[in-house]
Amino acid sequence: HVADFVRKYHELHVQFQQPKYPKTVQFGLKCPGVFYRANDVHFYKKYFPDTKFIIGLRHPVSWFESFYNYQSHRNVSLPK
């Protein structure tokens, strides 16, 4: 959850905003779930107001192939 992310990384985020670090120091999170849960965007707005989101789109067949391989690797039962 983003709440856990905020608790864990907010201090680090503030630390990197200090003048002793160059402005090029950045970190991020790759998690599409932030757009599935309404409250998550609120956390970003409150704790990381300068956040820039990068959205990538994949071809649906490529996405499904990757999803299938990931789930089968985890031994998740897939519908037939």
Side-chain angles (χ1 to χ4, degrees):
H1 289 100
V2 174
D4 297 330
F5 173 79
V6 169
R7 280 191 291 279
K8 189 171 184 181
Y9 292 105
H10 186 257
E11 183 178 318
L12 183 63
H13 173 73
V14 171
Q15 178 184 356
F16 279 134
Q17 295 302 315
Q18 303 303 315
K20 65 181 179 178
Y21 292 101
K23 291 289 183 183
T24 58
V25 175
Q26 298 179 6
F27 63 95
L29 171 70
K30 180 183 176 188
C31 178
V34 71
F35 296 107
Y36 301 147
R37 300 176 295 263
N39 290 334
D40 289 357
V41 174
H42 169 74
F43 283 113
Y44 278 98
K45 184 177 180 181
K46 182 176 179 180
Y47 294 103
F48 304 103
D50 296 328
T51 296
K52 307 245 185 320
F53 290 99
I54 298 172
I55 299 173
L57 299 176
R58 291 178 70 182
H59 188 278
V61 174
S62 173
W63 176 88
F64 184 77
E65 179 182 20
S66 174
F67 174 76
Y68 179 87
N69 290 335
Y70 175 72
Q71 296 296 359
S72 63
H73 177 72
R74 292 178 53 219
N75 294 321
V76 173
S77 295
L78 299 170
K80 297 183 185 214

